[in-house]
Amino acid sequence: MQLDRRAGNPSSTSPAHNAVRRRRLQVRFQTQKTLDCGEPTGRAMDIGARAGAHCVNLSSVVTTKTDLKSLLREDLSARLAKWGEPVYRADQILRWVYQQQAESFDQMTNLSAELRQRLSEQFELNSVRALKTRNATDTTEKFLFQLHDHALIETVLIPATPGLTTSSDRHTVCVSTQVGCAYGCKFCASGLEGVKRNLTAAEIVDQVVHTQKLSGERVSNIVIMGMGEPLANYDNLIRALRIINAPWALGIGARKITVSTVGLVLRIKQLADEPMQIRLAVSLHGATDEVRDRIMPVNKKYPLKELLAACDYYVNTRKRMMTFEYILIDGVNDSLEQAHKLGAIANRLHAKVNLIPYNPVEGLPWKRPERSRCKMFQHTLKSHGITATLRIEKGTDINAACGQLRLRHEAEARA
Ligand code: SAH
């Protein structure tokens, strides 16, 4: 009974209804299980990942309402046409959702009371709820959002630093795509407790909408580098990016959107074939299998040779530069030998390298190298003709590395 509470249908207990409900739960349970197998393509994932379906733990509350922010314009128009509404109605509603950032249907004052009531019965308008925000001294802002099943995710707003870039009014949002992460990179806080579930498209889109609303800033760039492996939640990711990109929604250009992956080879190729010109970043963190194996278990499934072949495919199909992210971890991957090997790889692929001094995670043994060592690594890459940036850490005082704020919040809640 509790399961249907949000659907507003507490009296429906017929055997047929129960059978449907059991089936729905089975589908969701299968969906949970497929999360661990790398690049799920099965039907269970397709069903669980479709627009509007909250894919949640069995113990949590399930909604049968449709998430409005999972819908493309044509989906909403089709729903409204069935209700006999005129074609312009969808645009009116979308303006309220994305331009006015309305948080309730009651705010949509140019719609009739009857329509607002019907919309609120059938659609969920908000998919995330802000629990906490934390400001770092460098004005990076981190948001902890709660989802309908009480799961927690993180989103970070990173303003460009005046003086470092030409456009100081640029605001980048770092978005999460899963609750937790299945890939267990040894240095990362996000994967410490495994993966709970994929985010729906609405939950991905709503991070951007709420970040804009809470900060009062217009977001210009998106990096999919928050919690989770975006390419393991492929269908929801692409749907969300289509909405983020659409002029009727957030209108953020595809070239201003970067997807970062641990290195899922088949999905990198699929991304290369997408009509949207999304940018690709690959978390390399090691220039040989030996180093990568030590810190990234995914390398056993997709060793460097296969990963770099997928990068080749991306670069040749897209005719665009890609980026390698490379965390510098003291004594693990920061030798000059690794720098030379990385230089050769990046050179062949005409890739940029983004060096990130490791952000220590409580309870993990890894350390950040001395600044001079990071500089030396960068210098070596540059000697190969590579564009290599050494990230000035932003937000370290607010636990801005992946998954850290969420872990801290959960630890505080347990204490
Ligand atoms: N799963 C995707 C995106 C999420 S992680 C990926 O692996 O690319 C975004 C980036 O932050 C990745 O490059 C990841 O390796 C890096 N990262 C994770 N923990 C970090 C830490 N403690 N310090 C610095 N970077 C970290």
Side-chain angles (χ1 to χ4, degrees), residues 187-188 224-226 228-230 260-262 283 285 325 327 356 358-359 361 401-402 404:
F187 47 80
C188 181
I224 311 289
M225 294 184 185
E229 169 48 44
S260 174
T261 176
V262 75
S283 292
H285 310 332
E325 288 164 274
I327 305 180
I356 311 152
Y358 181 62
N359 200 1
V361 175
C402 290
Q404 287 187 40

Side-chain angles (χ1 to χ4, degrees), residues 128-337:
V128 308
R129 186 170 76 89
L131 219 55
K132 257 192 196 180
T133 66
R134 292 183 76 177
N135 263 74
T137 44
D138 62 12
T139 71
T140 298
E141 215 173 329
K142 186 151 188 167
F143 301 87
L144 188 67
F145 288 122
Q146 190 172 53
L147 312 177
H148 288 306
D149 61 353
H150 303 295
L152 300 175
I153 52 162
E154 302 174 354
T155 310
V156 184
L157 178 67
I158 312 160
T161 312
L164 279 185
T165 59
T166 44
S167 54
S168 58
D169 57 345
R170 214 184 54 189
H171 283 82
T172 301
V173 175
C174 177
V175 173
S176 293
T177 50
Q178 295 184 309
V179 181
C181 182
Y183 287 88
C185 295
K186 299 276 195 271
F187 47 80
C188 181
S190 291
L192 286 177
E193 292 174 7
V195 65
K196 286 202 182 121
R197 68 172 174 92
N198 281 335
L199 298 191
T200 62
E203 288 164 339
I204 298 172
V205 172
D206 218 7
Q207 290 173 64
V208 185
V209 175
H210 273 76
T211 304
Q212 267 191 172
K213 177 147 189 161
L214 290 165
S215 67
E217 301 290 354
R218 173 135 185 80
V219 169
S220 52
N221 295 61
I222 305 275
V223 290
I224 311 289
M225 294 184 185
M227 201 193 298
E229 169 48 44
L231 297 189
N233 184 13
Y234 193 86
D235 293 347
N236 288 351
L237 172 76
I238 296 297
R239 175 176 276 268
L241 294 184
R242 283 180 68 191
I243 295 167
I244 287 170
N245 177 237
W248 47 262
L250 294 171
I252 297 173
R255 288 173 190 188
K256 304 264 171 80
I257 301 173
T258 303
V259 172
S260 174
T261 176
V262 75
L264 302 191
V265 162
L266 304 179
R267 295 300 197 192
I268 290 174
K269 292 184 183 156
Q270 196 174 347
L271 191 69
D273 292 328
E274 286 290 338
M276 257 186 301
Q277 299 273 329
I278 304 160
R279 289 179 186 273
L280 172 71
V282 169
S283 292
L284 203 64
H285 310 332
T288 54
D289 279 324
E290 193 206 344
V291 170
R292 219 168 174 262
D293 275 346
R294 192 171 154 205
I295 50 178
M296 300 180 77
V298 70
N299 199 61
K300 294 265 190 254
K301 183 163 183 190
Y302 297 120
L304 266 182
K305 195 165 170 232
E306 286 178 42
L307 174 56
L308 298 178
C311 294
D312 255 327
Y313 182 81
Y314 178 91
V315 171
N316 289 326
T317 310
R318 276 274 183 257
K319 309 274 179 255
R320 295 199 69 83
M321 271 186 121
M322 59 161 296
T323 303
F324 285 119
E325 288 164 274
Y326 197 97
I327 305 180
L328 288 164
I329 309 177
D330 191 40
V332 174
N333 63 357
D334 59 344
S335 69
L336 295 189
E337 191 201 344

Side-chain angles (χ1 to χ4, degrees), residues 54 93 112 118 123 128 164 208 228 233 288 373 384 390 407:
H54 278 298
I93 296 169
S112 69
R118 196 167 186 189
F123 293 99
V128 308
L164 279 185
V208 185
N233 184 13
T288 54
R373 199 165 168 82
H384 286 259
L390 178 58
L407 282 189

Side-chain angles (χ1 to χ4, degrees), residues 38 40 77 83 88 91 104 107 109 111 118 140 145 153 156 223 251 259 282 300 313 322 337 349 369-370 379-380 389:
S77 300
W83 298 356
Y88 62 82
D91 288 327
S104 85
Q107 287 173 259
T109 45
L111 309 181
R118 196 167 186 189
T140 298
F145 288 122
I153 52 162
V156 184
V223 290
V259 172
V282 169
K300 294 265 190 254
Y313 182 81
M322 59 161 296
E337 191 201 344
L349 282 157
E370 295 287 327
H379 182 77
T380 310
T389 54

